[in-house]
Structures are given as structure tokens and as C-alpha cells.
Amino acid sequence: MFTGLVAGTGTVCAAEHGPEGTRLRVATPLAAELSEGDSVAVNGVCLTAVEVGGDGFAADVIAETLRRSSLGPLREGDRVNLELPLRASDRLGGHMVQGHVDATGTVESATDEGFARVLRIEAPPALLRYVVEKGSIAVDGVSLTVAEVDEEGFSISLIPETLERTTLGSMAPGSPVNLEVDVLAKYVEKLVSRTSVA
């Protein structure tokens, strides 16, 4: 379980693609806090560290994850958002994020508004039914508040701290992003649909 508060960024050292999946190697100082078998969110995708060294870690990305996320196109030199799992004693500063990507979206536009940057993101209709104005959404693992939403996508407004600490500051039109909606919305939908049928 994560909160969507990115602890730092890492740099892809290698993306070893094979017929059975991809082994992703990421350089980051956060590796000092990881052990083999630990979970780590990479651009919002919960992965398991299978190798840990002083300067980084490696994780296996299976075919299902490659299909559902934007991790497949990652190449050497790409920056990624990283978050370690929530501890029971930690503050819940963002929202409950599972690291289970629901879909990918595409940055449609990036415009400056005062000291903020507004990203407009196109997203699938099946995902947008869970997105509400002023609700929470994780974009590449970052917990954000939805500024506006319509039938084709939504907008988020990024403060300078988010632009500096995450990869979202370098997003340009056409960039793919991982999206995870608030899991509570999915549970509510399931409960309501069961009640309606009964």
C-alpha cells in the first residue's frame, strides 16, 4: 500500500526485454532502504525488488504489467517516480494507492498557470467513470487532486514542489502516464450495483 507521495526519482540503468517479460534496473539512493523481496512503486506500479545493491535495485515486470502500464517503453536514462510502501506509523498524506494501474492515459496539453502547471490528460471512458472533480487520482504514482473532468479526460494542477520532486514536470503532450483511480470508487460502484439488482 502506498500514498502517492513520491519519495524521489530514480534513473533506469537498463531495461532488459525478453520473451517472458522485462527486468528493470533502477539507480536510486532509496535502494539503501530496500531489501530483496520488498515492494517499491515505480511510476505508480507496485513491483518487487529482486536484486538490491548499494546504488540501485532490479525488478521483474511481467507481461500483464507491461500491457496495463507505461513501463514497457522505458529505456536507459529515463527518470522514474519511486515510492516505498506505507508503514503503519506513517502519516497518510496523499490517498490510498495500491500500485495496481487501472489504465494508461496520454498528456494532451501542458500549460503554465501562475506558478503551477496544468496537465490535461486523455483517459479511457471506462476509467473516467471513477474520476470526479476534486477527487483523488494517482498519475505515474503521484497522488493528485482532479481539477476538472469531462467525457474525454481530466486536468490536474501541479504545484512547484511536485514539478521539482517528480517526473511530471518534464511531461509534454504525447507522454504516456499510468493512472490509478481511488479504489473506494470501485468498491462503491460494486456495492451499489449489487444493491440495485437485489
Side-chain angles (χ1 to χ4, degrees):
M1 188 65 71
F2 305 91
T3 65
L5 298 183
V6 170
T9 60
T11 304
V12 175
C13 302
E16 301 160 1
H17 303 288
E20 298 176 355
T22 296
R23 176 156 289 189
L24 202 58
R25 298 185 185 277
V26 179
T28 174
L30 290 175
E33 300 181 50
L34 286 172
S35 298
E36 289 183 11
D38 284 351
S39 294
V40 57
V42 179
N43 279 356
V45 180
C46 180
L47 299 176
T48 301
V50 295
E51 294 176 10
V52 178
D55 60 349
F57 68 92
D60 291 331
V61 186
I62 61 173
E64 169 71 2
T65 304
L66 293 170
R67 277 192 300 272
R68 284 186 166 265
S69 75
S70 65
L71 296 187
L74 287 176
R75 296 292 179 265
E76 184 177 345
D78 287 345
R79 286 175 60 231
V80 291
N81 293 323
L82 300 173
E83 183 184 357
L84 301 177
L86 176 69
R87 288 183 284 243
S89 60
D90 289 345
R91 290 188 176 125
L92 181 59
H95 73 283
M96 299 302 269
V97 176
Q98 295 180 297
H100 303 162
V101 170
D102 292 301
T104 57
T106 305
V107 175
E108 182 182 332
S109 64
T111 56
D112 292 331
E113 186 177 80
F115 54 69
R117 182 169 299 154
V118 177
L119 294 185
R120 164 75 184 178
I121 298 174
E122 292 179 40
L127 178 133
L128 288 169
R129 71 176 185 253
Y130 302 113
V131 180
V132 296
E133 189 172 320
K134 305 307 176 194
S136 297
I137 191 165
V139 178
D140 267 2
V142 183
S143 175
L144 297 165
T145 301
V146 176
E148 295 179 345
V149 63
D150 58 35
E151 289 102 22
E152 296 177 355
F154 62 93
S155 297
I156 49 176
S157 189
L158 307 173
I159 63 172
E161 178 75 5
T162 304
L163 295 170
E164 184 180 328
R165 289 177 57 91
T166 74
T167 61
L168 297 183
S170 61
M171 291 293 171
S175 297
V177 289
N178 292 319
L179 303 174
E180 181 184 336
V181 298
D182 191 339
V183 69
L184 295 177
K186 293 189 281 187
Y187 281 123
V188 168
E189 180 187 59
K190 187 167 186 178
L191 288 170
V192 169
S193 65
R194 282 184 176 173
T195 304
S196 300
V197 173

